[in-house]
Amino acid sequence: MISVLMDNSDLYPGEPRMLEVFNLLERRIEDRWGIPVILSDVPHPFTGDLDGAEIAIDFENGVEDALFILVHLFGHTVQWNTDPAAREIDKQVEEDPSEERLEALQQYEEQACRYSLALLHDVGVHDFDGWLADFSRCDFAYLRHFYATGEKLPFRGFWTHGTPTMEPLAIPPFHPTQWTARSDGVVV
């Protein structure tokens, strides 16, 4: 099922461009790093999953969400394979986290998005910088609210436009290694 949940045609590239970029990135991730991108039924409540050696995207996502999930989980895959602490950070969801803990989670999420941006630029895609910044901000606002309250509100309710763009973070050399999937222990 492919659909776009928001009509942002005047703000972001449209669905045909998103699908083109998804396909381009899927090929790059599989060819350059040997990381399979699998469209499958991902365990609820996840919309995608990773284990360090493969990326799974729930087949019920629309193209816009699937594209974000692809680039974002690639960013986390880089983290998991280059920093042992990164494999643990989102497995440690606790009730009423401290501001310090929320700041660490935000840095983790931002770093993944900066790797995502580097991936986009690596394949010559520069027209998604604003979209990625807005999507990333929405994603972390949703996560921050959930981590702080335990309450799951509609994801798109955290969306804002005009988030300052990020600087890409060079993707370091890494060897994909299979670790435990997020869905095997984290509930979001």
Side-chain angles (χ1 to χ4, degrees):
M1 170 161 113
I2 295 184
S3 63
V4 173
L5 298 177
M6 300 173 59
D7 180 13
N8 292 313
S9 55
D10 57 332
L11 298 172
Y12 309 122
E15 183 177 298
R17 176 73 173 138
M18 288 183 179
L19 186 56
E20 173 189 2
V21 170
F22 180 94
N23 291 330
L24 180 67
L25 294 174
E26 178 184 28
R27 280 191 307 275
R28 176 59 64 105
I29 291 167
E30 290 179 344
D31 293 347
R32 184 171 179 183
W33 290 281
I35 300 169
V37 176
I38 301 162
L39 298 176
S40 65
D41 185 18
V42 175
H44 182 76
F46 293 96
T47 56
D49 206 355
L50 74 152
D51 66 7
E54 68 181 32
I55 296 170
I57 300 170
D58 195 291
F59 56 77
E60 289 190 2
N61 287 300
V63 67
E64 181 176 23
D65 289 345
L67 178 57
F68 178 75
I69 292 163
L70 175 63
V71 297
H72 191 66
L73 293 184
F74 173 79
H76 285 315
T77 298
V78 172
Q79 291 173 305
W80 282 27
N81 285 291
T82 59
D83 180 4
R87 289 190 295 275
E88 301 303 318
I89 194 164
D90 65 0
K91 291 182 181 179
Q92 304 167 2
V93 177
E94 68 261 4
E95 289 184 29
D96 196 26
S98 67
E99 279 301 314
E100 185 176 90
R101 175 78 172 128
L102 289 170
E103 178 62 31
L105 287 165
Q106 184 169 359
Q107 288 175 8
Y108 169 74
E109 293 296 332
E110 286 177 1
Q111 183 183 49
C113 289
R114 292 180 65 205
Y115 286 137
S116 301
L117 187 59
L119 175 65
L120 285 163
H121 289 183
D122 184 51
V123 297
V125 173
H126 296 272
D127 53 333
F128 282 79
D129 292 21
W131 171 84
L132 181 60
D134 287 345
F135 215 123
S136 298
R137 179 185 219 172
C138 179
D139 183 53
F140 188 70
Y142 172 85
L143 288 174
R144 181 181 181 90
H145 177 82
F146 173 75
Y147 291 150
T149 67
E151 180 182 33
K152 294 180 185 178
L153 295 177
F155 178 80
R156 299 289 177 162
F158 294 91
W159 194 277
T160 59
H161 298 285
T163 304
T165 57
M166 301 168 272
E167 287 294 319
L169 184 59
I171 300 166
F174 70 94
H175 177 73
T177 302
Q178 186 174 16
W179 309 97
T180 302
R182 292 182 318 157
S183 61
D184 290 338
V186 178
V187 178
V188 175

